[in-house]
Amino acid sequence: MVLLTHDPIDVAALRAQLEATRHGAILIFEGVVRDNFEGRAVLGLEYEAYPEMALAELEKIVAEVKQRWPGASMGIAHRLGRLGLGETSVVIVTAAPHRAECYEASRHGIEALKARVPIWKKELYADGASWRENTPG
Amino acid sequence: MVLLTHDPIDVAALRAQLEATRHGAILIFEGVVRDNFEGRAVLGLEYEAYPEMALAELEKIVAEVKQRWPGASMGIAHRLGRLGLGETSVVIVTAAPHRAECYEASRHGIEALKARVPIWKKELYADGASWRENTPG
Amino acid sequence: MPVVTLRYFATLRESRGVESEPLTVAEGETAASLYAKLFPREHAGGLRVAFAVNRDYAPPGVVLHDGDELCFLPPLGGG
Amino acid sequence: MPVVTLRYFATLRESRGVESEPLTVAEGETAASLYAKLFPREHAGGLRVAFAVNRDYAPPGVVLHDGDELCFLPPLGGG
């Protein structure tokens, strides 16, 4: 399951998609809005997506994970619109038979999302705003 | 927060301990009871701990993580007693300012737990049971 | 001449002032050359964009065809 | 002579039949030598145990003192 939503992400619903006794490990990654970027105070974020292409790219990531790590499965949800501090912008749930591949697949998911999924983020400051580009790590 | 419990683990409560706007990434690792081990059908597991020492070792792991990855924090909960298929045996919640260290710290947490925390697992089969030793990965 | 649909997001949406528009382009027009024409300031300023045709990544030199949906993707910020 | 408290878990608890017991040991007795005496079958069978004194890991040659809590830890299975 992949989705874009203006509402808070329902992590439990996303995780429930993965329920299967063949999984030994589950990882839930959450990206959370931080209160600063390189020392500058951030009041919130605003996310925007190219929705049709973003969903297609998210589906490709999920399909890649299934192919590269047999037995693994993944679900991804990304928030859009205005988010306050401490809110969750993205959730990636990953399940795999063993923990090593679960960590690899989860990390692949978030790195691929940041590199390829057409979503943009505007940082809101007390005195303005700016589009913020992803950086590795 | 570290805890051993005979009841299902309250993931939301564990995650709530980490709430802070200085965190950019949160990872929740769950170990789930699988329906087989090396092809043999498993009906369930039974976990047993040396509780005082297990809690002390879990506290050491959490302290190590805080020291090694500045700004990171961790909470660990482990189930004890009888668990059925698909039930969650362990939850490790990790928060860190950036995702790279969050993945490293989370992985360190589960590897250290498996290597050092005095907890034992008996696998229950249709025709018997056996104490099952952890293997890497 | 081919008519393509442009989609704009983030800084390019703000710069262009619309989210989407149809545009008639020359035969043989490429994504990269159209970007340079539509966004001369961003092009000169070195904004690194990627190109998507019909909601899939495409190389800068991709030739546009009638009915294509084209998007210039400024640096991503998802996650 | 020192009196120590033994704690048993998992396969060693099942083998010994109790969870805990006080035990009087010789002066200078080490954790490893006591293990070999109490669990000759497991010792001969090559069961790899670790040692904990007062709920902290200790080397096999650690000398036991009066009041110590000693545990032989069979291979772990947490997680």
Side-chain angles (χ1 to χ4, degrees), chain B residues 104-121:
Chain B
E104 287 173 12
S106 172
R107 186 71 193 267
H108 173 77
I110 183 62
E111 298 303 329
L113 183 150
K114 285 181 173 267
R116 287 165 36 191
V117 179
I119 296 175
W120 297 271
K121 168 171 61 194

Side-chain angles (χ1 to χ4, degrees), chain B residues 47-53 57 60 78 89-90 110 113-122 131-134, chain D residues 7-14 48 51-57 69-79:
Chain B
Y47 283 96
E48 175 175 343
Y50 182 1
E52 303 92 336
M53 182 176 171
E57 289 293 324
K60 284 183 203 167
H78 202 295
S89 56
V90 60
I110 183 62
L113 183 150
K114 285 181 173 267
R116 287 165 36 191
V117 179
I119 296 175
W120 297 271
K121 168 171 61 194
K122 197 173 202 173
W131 294 98
R132 177 63 60 191
E133 174 179 352
N134 280 332
Chain D
R7 301 279 297 266
Y8 304 114
F9 296 97
T11 184
L12 296 181
R13 174 182 53 73
E14 291 178 340
R48 293 172 293 104
F51 303 93
V53 174
N54 300 327
R55 304 165 184 179
D56 205 357
Y57 282 100
E69 179 174 301
L70 173 64
C71 185
F72 310 123
L73 309 173
L76 306 179

Side-chain angles (χ1 to χ4, degrees), chain A residues 36-97:
Chain A
N36 75 87
F37 182 84
E38 291 171 0
R40 190 170 181 190
V42 172
L43 305 182
L45 297 178
E46 202 166 302
Y47 283 96
E48 175 176 342
Y50 181 0
E52 304 91 336
M53 183 175 169
L55 288 169
E57 289 293 323
L58 289 172
E59 290 283 12
K60 283 182 204 169
I61 293 170
V62 168
E64 271 170 21
V65 161
K66 283 183 185 167
Q67 185 173 35
R68 190 159 152 192
W69 291 278
S73 55
M74 179 172 280
I76 310 177
H78 203 294
R79 277 289 289 281
L80 298 179
R82 178 84 184 256
L83 272 76
L85 300 183
E87 285 199 86
T88 294
S89 56
V90 60
V91 177
I92 301 184
V93 295
T94 309

Side-chain angles (χ1 to χ4, degrees), chain A residues 6-23:
Chain A
H6 282 76
D7 301 317
I9 296 169
D10 184 343
V11 180
L14 203 63
R15 185 197 175 292
Q17 303 283 318
L18 301 180
E19 293 293 1
T21 55
R22 69 202 165 90
H23 295 313

Side-chain angles (χ1 to χ4, degrees), chain A residues 47-50 52-53 57 60 78 89-90 113-122 131-134, chain C residues 7-11 13-14 48 51-52 54-57 69-79:
Chain A
Y47 283 96
E48 175 176 342
Y50 181 0
E52 304 91 336
M53 183 175 169
E57 289 293 323
K60 283 182 204 169
H78 203 294
S89 56
V90 60
L113 183 152
K114 287 182 173 267
R116 287 165 35 192
V117 179
I119 296 175
W120 297 271
K121 168 172 59 194
K122 198 174 202 172
W131 294 99
R132 177 63 60 193
E133 175 178 352
N134 282 331
Chain C
R7 302 279 298 266
Y8 304 116
F9 297 97
T11 184
R13 173 182 54 73
E14 292 178 337
R48 293 173 294 103
F51 302 93
N54 300 328
R55 304 164 183 180
D56 205 358
Y57 282 101
E69 178 174 300
L70 172 65
C71 185
F72 311 122
L73 308 173
L76 305 180

Side-chain angles (χ1 to χ4, degrees), chain A residues 29-32 34, chain B residues 18 20-27 65 69-74 93-106:
Chain A
F29 173 86
E30 292 187 36
V32 178
R34 296 177 63 199
Chain B
L18 301 180
T21 55
R22 71 199 164 90
H23 294 313
I26 291 176
L27 267 173
V65 162
W69 291 278
S73 56
M74 179 174 279
V93 295
T94 309
H98 300 285
R99 69 188 182 280
E101 64 228 40
C102 197
Y103 274 95
E104 287 173 12
S106 172

